Amino acid sequence: MFHEELMDLFDFIEQMSKNTSASTTATASSSSALHDKLNEENSTSDYCTWYLRVLTAAQMKSNPDRYLPFLLAEDTATGSGMMDIPTFCSREVEPMNRECGMVQVAALAECFGVGVTIEYMDGRIVQEKDGNSRKVACHEFGQDDDASFGGKKMNIALLYRPGHYDVLY
């Protein structure tokens, strides 16, 4: 079913690009239609989200030693101080309607070979190296190798507000 949804989305985008003229009104209308399609409940967006969750879990399971140190949440089922990767993925990564944490963002970024910059709006005051302070903390991560897109490493910027990530354009 995912393949059909993805192909339908590509066809929709292709049709939009053919129908869009240079006018601002047509572009705005197309953008609105794409936004609506990607935000329909139980539709394309859910399939895309599910696919990204599967990729994230696969990345974490293929390199468990990389992510295990970040899983210090108590496993109430076993009473231990850590959860193993398969358990974490089955409880926190693979199910829909679960919040994503930084370890999942890092795993997905490494899966795609992109860098990620997260600006945190959680109320912390951060001291800069020059002694100045700022209210938005910033964390950058992703693969350190030469993953590139058009000769330049692709970087995605996210804004984190407690409980939610937004893509910054």
Side-chain angles (χ1 to χ4, degrees):
M1 188 69 187
F2 172 74
H3 183 264
E4 290 83 11
E5 282 290 328
L6 185 63
M7 292 297 104
D8 287 347
L9 177 62
F10 288 156
D11 290 342
F12 181 80
I13 292 170
E14 182 179 22
Q15 206 48 21
M16 276 182 17
S17 66
K18 288 178 182 176
N19 295 337
T20 303
S21 65
S23 76
T24 306
T25 307
T27 302
S29 175
S30 294
S31 295
S32 178
L34 180 60
H35 179 269
D36 291 345
K37 181 152 184 75
L38 290 174
N39 286 287
E40 289 176 33
E41 188 139 347
N42 298 319
S43 188
T44 304
S45 66
D46 287 347
Y47 285 105
C48 292
T49 301
W50 171 81
Y51 182 66
L52 294 173
R53 287 177 176 278
V54 169
L55 291 176
T56 302
Q59 175 69 23
M60 293 180 76
K61 290 176 182 178
S62 69
N63 194 358
D65 294 337
R66 166 83 175 98
Y67 303 103
L68 192 59
F70 301 102
L71 307 184
L72 295 176
E74 184 175 335
D75 184 357
T76 55
T78 64
S80 70
M82 285 174 78
M83 211 182 292
D84 64 359
I85 295 291
T87 302
F88 179 79
C89 288
S90 68
R91 290 184 189 172
E92 301 295 329
V93 180
E94 294 163 352
M96 294 293 284
N97 300 318
R98 298 294 296 182
E99 291 294 324
C100 171
M102 193 162 73
V103 68
Q104 291 100 314
V105 173
L108 188 60
E110 289 179 11
C111 179
F112 282 109
V114 299
V116 174
T117 301
I118 301 177
E119 301 283 343
Y120 291 89
M121 293 190 64
D122 58 3
R124 291 183 285 168
I125 304 293
V126 179
Q127 288 291 349
E128 297 287 338
K129 290 179 182 176
D130 62 5
N132 294 326
S133 63
R134 61 187 189 135
K135 292 188 177 188
V136 178
C138 178
H139 186 71
E140 296 179 1
F141 57 91
Q143 288 188 330
D144 292 329
D145 62 8
D146 289 333
S148 62
F149 182 76
K152 180 179 171 188
K153 184 174 182 178
M154 184 178 216
N155 194 56
I156 297 171
L158 301 174
L159 175 66
Y160 177 77
R161 295 177 289 147
H164 184 75
Y165 289 93
D166 289 313
V167 178
L168 298 176
Y169 299 98

